Amino acid sequence: MSPHEPFPLYHPADVRRAFSSDDATRRFAKVAQLEPGSRVLVLGCGPDGSAALLLAREMGCTVVAADTDDALLNPVRERVRAQGLAEQIEVRRVSLDALGLADGEFNGILIQGRVLYPLKATLANMRGLLSKRGRLGFTFPARVGRFAPKAAIDFWERRVAGPLLLPRELLQVVEGAGYEPESAESLHDAELDAHYRDIETFLSSVPGSQPASLREELALHRESNGKASVSYAFVVGRRKEQGEKPPASRDRG
């Protein structure tokens, strides 16, 4: 098998990310029970910083909008200043190898449409940054069909350096990593197709064969004829403490 792709998985800065709509951000805020004064990390915020701006403006949160490149962060800084949110939003350049953030600092961590680390590393790296009962919402590829072509499975397992899981299996891994799994959603076929149309437009403007992995991903999607076997999932888990009792039954018995 070929070596896996280095993390973070490449995603064009100018292409809208999965689960980055305002409605998706509001759904995360609701599940995460964010309120005025909650401290949130938006990791891989991208050049628009829209999630950070919404959480500060609508929810009254204090936000760290973080990414790895000042070329991505400078437009965010401009938008923060223009909207008068400098007291609520800190725009910070970070290294994914060493984020330089304090343990227990955040009530919520949001990673929209970017795959920054392998699955278990995401869960391990973020858990310590969360306060007690803090929520992590992150994006990761997932199987969504009963049957997936071998070419698609091989490609994705090489990319993520591990097995390609169903959303319910992602939740099981989340639970095993010290979280209470709370929700998982995946892009339905129309949303995924729109996502790849945006990527296709981007790739048409990029000469040569690079980025090769993104071109292969797009080709595999096109071969699915609109019925995806692999999609992107957005998963939310709450930091759980050792010895914590399981949640009460939701069916009243």
Side-chain angles (χ1 to χ4, degrees), residues 109-130:
I109 298 174
L110 179 58
I111 306 172
Q112 289 175 315
R114 295 292 311 280
V115 182
L116 302 177
Y117 306 97
L119 176 58
K120 290 185 178 180
T122 298
L123 297 168
N125 293 347
M126 297 302 110
R127 188 179 183 279
L129 300 178
L130 288 168

Side-chain angles (χ1 to χ4, degrees), residues 110-174:
L110 179 58
I111 306 172
Q112 289 175 315
R114 295 292 311 280
V115 182
L116 302 177
Y117 306 97
L119 176 58
K120 290 185 178 180
T122 298
L123 297 168
N125 293 347
M126 297 302 110
R127 188 179 183 279
L129 300 178
L130 288 168
S131 62
K132 289 185 177 181
R133 305 188 67 81
R135 267 78 170 185
L136 166 66
F138 69 98
T139 306
F140 209 77
R143 290 183 62 166
V144 294
R146 292 184 62 187
F147 304 102
K150 184 178 185 303
I153 293 296
D154 289 347
F155 169 78
W156 280 107
E157 292 192 343
R158 184 176 72 246
R159 281 196 96 189
V160 304
L164 188 62
L165 304 177
L166 297 164
R168 61 177 172 78
E169 293 172 328
L170 286 174
L171 289 174
Q172 291 170 357
V173 175
V174 166

Side-chain angles (χ1 to χ4, degrees), residues 4 35 55 83 122 170 184 187 193 196 203 211 215 228 239:
H4 70 80
E35 57 188 10
L55 292 169
Q83 296 188 29
T122 298
L170 286 174
L187 297 178
D193 198 55
Y196 282 118
L203 290 176
R215 294 183 186 277
R239 174 173 165 158

Side-chain angles (χ1 to χ4, degrees), residues 222-240:
R222 292 293 175 234
E223 290 173 8
S224 71
N225 295 318
K227 189 64 177 175
S229 57
V230 181
S231 185
Y232 287 92
F234 184 75
V235 180
V236 180
R238 175 183 61 79
R239 174 173 165 158
K240 185 169 61 174

